[in-house]
Amino acid sequence: NAGVTQTPKFQVLKTGQSMTLQCAQDMNHNSMYWYRQDPGMGLRLIYYSASEGTTDKGEVPNGYNVSRLNKREFSLRLESAAPSQTSVYFCASTRSPLNTEAFFGQGTRLTVV
Amino acid sequence: DQQVKQNSPSLSVQEGRISILNCDYTNSMFDYFLWYKKYPAEGPTFLISISSIKDKNEDGRFTVFLNKSAKHLSLHIVPSQPGDSAVYFCAALADRGSTLGRLYFGRGTQLTVWP
């Protein structure tokens, strides 16, 4: 069972470069999320998609854009990477916005130099 | 302003004893509270949850207690095992309003269970 798959697992970017983090789930979940985890900060919500066709900002959306390509895929784009975006990024999905059990991917460790 | 707080960054417990992880929240609109467990280089995994209409939920060695008046919840692990060593995140969500479905996480507590 793949669950939630994130690519890439590791990435190093130079300041100003752009990139897209990919996320796909095979559980037929409606809702998908992007979080970032920084040391001592827990997980903070960047963007989420309650259902296919909708996206909303979370706590820390600045510097990011998202696309809910279809029900399975939810991508996160950094248009112009900054060192402050160095973090571990997690994608997650839930059956519905009210479902309490979120399934997480293994994370993408991004370093911006 | 953090709405979910875990004030203890770490906890060390001997194998076989009870581990108690604490969590406080500020938003009285939260309807569900959850605990996630995270091993290094892996994503968090769901552990246990509790609805705001209950004060206790048990699943095997794991029990979550909710005190709504104090806006406090705790996770008890009995007996603790070395494999329980991980970071534990407390989380909360509301089932209505503009933040419907958004999970708010605490900063985590690193639990170490030693033999």
Side-chain angles (χ1 to χ4, degrees):
Chain A
N1 293 336
V4 179
T5 303
Q6 290 181 235
T7 55
K9 287 187 170 48
F10 302 93
Q11 183 71 49
V12 178
L13 288 179
K14 293 183 178 178
T15 297
Q17 285 185 317
S18 62
M19 80 161 293
T20 299
L21 280 65
Q22 308 286 354
C23 175
Q25 51 89 10
D26 62 2
M27 295 172 285
N28 201 33
H29 284 175
N30 289 299
S31 305
M32 297 184 74
Y33 310 80
W34 276 105
Y35 292 89
R36 59 178 288 175
Q37 185 191 10
D38 301 296
M41 294 297 293
L43 290 129
R44 292 183 293 171
L45 183 64
I46 306 171
Y47 269 94
Y48 66 108
S49 171
S51 61
E52 187 179 355
T54 68
T55 59
D56 287 286
K57 294 178 180 179
E59 299 172 69
V60 288
N62 291 345
Y64 305 95
N65 284 302
V66 290
S67 294
R68 184 74 184 266
L69 304 169
N70 48 55
K71 191 172 185 179
R72 289 187 64 246
E73 298 172 288
F74 188 39
S75 62
L76 178 71
R77 182 159 179 83
L78 287 71
E79 290 291 351
S80 179
S84 61
Q85 294 178 304
T86 293
S87 187
V88 181
Y89 291 84
F90 290 101
C91 177
S93 71
T94 58
R95 193 163 59 238
S96 74
L98 297 182
N99 190 263
T100 56
E101 183 174 356
F103 292 81
F104 284 81
Q106 289 199 314
T108 296
R109 184 174 293 277
L110 175 67
T111 303
V112 183
V113 298
Chain B
D1 185 28
Q2 272 215 301
Q3 299 191 46
V4 177
K5 300 177 183 179
Q6 293 176 258
N7 293 320
S8 298
S10 64
L11 175 67
S12 182
V13 171
Q14 188 175 23
E15 181 179 7
R17 295 191 176 265
I18 184 171
S19 296
I20 300 177
L21 295 93
N22 294 304
C23 178
D24 299 294
Y25 62 96
T26 57
N27 190 341
S28 57
M29 301 291 282
F30 287 140
D31 299 290
Y32 296 95
F33 303 90
L34 307 91
W35 287 93
Y36 282 81
K37 178 179 179 180
K38 185 183 179 305
Y39 292 116
E42 294 184 10
T45 55
F46 171 77
L47 189 58
I48 191 169
S49 65
I50 187 168
S51 164
S52 61
I53 63 173
K54 295 186 174 181
D55 55 16
K56 177 182 176 181
N57 188 27
E58 195 170 352
D59 184 2
R61 296 187 296 115
F62 302 91
T63 303
V64 57
F65 296 92
L66 175 63
N67 182 334
K68 280 189 68 175
S69 62
K71 294 190 175 68
H72 176 83
L73 64 153
S74 60
L75 174 68
H76 292 211
I77 306 174
V78 184
S80 302
Q81 299 174 354
D84 296 330
S85 297
V87 177
Y88 289 79
F89 289 102
C90 174
L93 70 83
D95 70 357
R96 59 192 181 279
S98 60
T99 58
L100 173 71
R102 284 177 54 174
L103 271 174
Y104 292 85
F105 283 86
R107 295 183 177 184
T109 297
Q110 170 70 58
L111 172 65
T112 302
V113 180
W114 47 281

